């Protein structure tokens, strides 16, 4: 799997490292680069891409050419691909206005709550066909709760959600009173205390 061109839709925080995801330009399928078959996060160095000015961490909206050693799907994250160590190369990007071309339209976001039982996924009672969505939402509200945790509340197709945010730009958006477009990249996280929590990886 060499030289796959991916539009980056997330570079979020995972264990103080990077969780990168995007859609393949050729077929529109989601790709989550991981550092091993267990779905581990990427280091700072592994999340770099090269352009004429040097090497920088990938950012949402960039188009990046990357290569993988193998497809390593997990029951809760079927889009995982193990990186092969080659240097990623930036190939321009898209505008925020072009995000509409990449939207997903699921009926809901893996149900109506903020988590999915990992046991239900492993047993096959809940089938995760994809663990990443790019969706247009309504009534988006970003805030910090009483524990100083970053949260996003919003509605999508009649369901109200309140999810943790792992977008590293959250604080900047809040401090600058920016008005997001209302498009979110949401991800199903790794198993934690018996559940896979739903996360807002990118706020557009």
């Amino acid at each position: 799997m060499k030289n796959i061109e991916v539009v980056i839709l997330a570079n979020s925080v995972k264990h103080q490292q990077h969780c990168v995801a995007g859609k393949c330009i050729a077929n529109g399928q989601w790709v989550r680069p991981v550092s091993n078959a267990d779905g581990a996060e990427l280091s700072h160095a592994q999340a770099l891409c090269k352009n004429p000015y040097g090497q920088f961490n990938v950012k949402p909206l960039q188009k990046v050419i990357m290569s993988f050693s193998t497809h390593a799907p997990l029951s809760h994250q079927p889009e995982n691909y193990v990186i092969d160590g080659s240097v990623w190369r930036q190939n321009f990007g898209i505008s925020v206005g072009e995000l509409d071309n990449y939207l997903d339209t699921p009926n809901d976001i893996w149900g109506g709550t903020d988590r999915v039982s990992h046991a239900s996924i492993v047993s096959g009672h809940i089938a995760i066909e994809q663990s990443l969505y790019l969706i247009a939402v309504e009534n988006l509200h970003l805030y910090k709760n009483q524990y100083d945790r970053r949260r996003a509340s919003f509605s999508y197709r009649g369901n109200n959600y309140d999810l943790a945010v792992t977008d590293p730009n959250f604080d900047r958006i809040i401090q600058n009173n920016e008005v997001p477009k209302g498009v979110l990249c949401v991800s199903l996280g790794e198993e934690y205390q018996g559940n896979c929590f739903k996360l807002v990886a990118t706020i557009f």
Side-chain angles (χ1 to χ4, degrees), residues 125-177:
H125 284 97
I126 297 175
I128 302 299
E129 296 181 0
Q130 64 186 80
S131 67
L132 292 153
Y133 289 128
L134 186 72
I135 54 173
V137 304
E138 297 178 326
N139 305 316
L140 177 62
H141 173 57
L142 307 177
Y143 71 100
K144 288 187 178 181
N145 65 13
Q146 66 267 37
Y147 306 108
D148 204 37
R149 300 294 176 88
R150 296 166 179 85
R151 308 286 301 185
S153 66
F154 58 91
S155 57
Y156 176 77
R157 295 205 169 188
N159 285 316
N160 294 320
Y161 294 92
D162 192 306
L163 308 182
V165 178
T166 55
D167 186 339
N169 295 311
F170 178 95
D171 291 344
R172 187 206 73 212
I173 294 170
I174 293 291
Q175 291 165 4
N176 294 343
N177 294 315

Side-chain angles (χ1 to χ4, degrees), residues 24-60:
C24 177
I25 297 289
N27 59 20
Q29 297 298 305
W30 279 99
V31 174
R32 180 189 285 106
V34 294
S35 61
N36 62 36
D38 294 324
E41 62 276 4
L42 303 178
S43 69
H44 186 75
Q46 290 170 326
L48 295 173
C49 70
K50 184 178 183 180
N51 65 27
Y53 304 99
Q55 284 190 313
F56 307 90
N57 272 124
V58 294
K59 296 179 180 179

